Amino acid sequence: MLSTMQDVPLLISRILTHGSTIHGTSQVTTWTGEGEPQRRSYAEIGARAAQLAHALRDDLGVADDDRVATLAWNNAEHVEAYFAIPPWARSCTPSTSGSRPSSWPGSSTTPPTAS
């Protein structure tokens, strides 16, 4: 009996590759509450995620056994980080404080910074 299971591992990088090639012109739209929404194609998201992934590995030294957390709004940049981190780190822990800039404590436009 033939299985209906796929014959390749389901990896975040494969999902990104599929989205970038098959749905490359489809857009991710982020509304920040200021002006027009930001729009990026899945092909742009893939290119920026690859750029971030290489920076994590080459410039910041993120290794296979490292853990990486993100704190960002629900926006295109967070999607890019979600796709960029898993190929290089053991785990990625995405965290958000909500989808609107006004949800950040003490600020209506910018996220808090570490002191």
Side-chain angles (χ1 to χ4, degrees), residues 6 13 31 33 49 57 59 74 84 100 102 107 112-113:
Q6 63 190 40
S13 58
W31 183 74
R57 183 190 62 195
D59 300 339
N74 290 331
R100 296 183 320 268
S102 61
S107 175
T113 58

Side-chain angles (χ1 to χ4, degrees), residues 66-80:
D66 290 339
R67 292 174 179 86
V68 177
T70 62
L71 176 61
W73 300 325
N74 290 331
N75 58 20
E77 288 84 2
H78 209 190
V79 171
E80 292 161 6

Side-chain angles (χ1 to χ4, degrees), residues 2 6 17 20 32 36 45 47 55-58 60 70 74-76 90-91 93 104:
L2 294 174
Q6 63 190 40
T17 300
S20 295
T32 63
E36 292 295 314
I45 295 284
L56 288 169
R57 183 190 62 195
D58 301 337
L60 299 175
T70 62
N74 290 331
N75 58 20
R90 177 182 294 175
S91 66
T93 305
W104 290 104

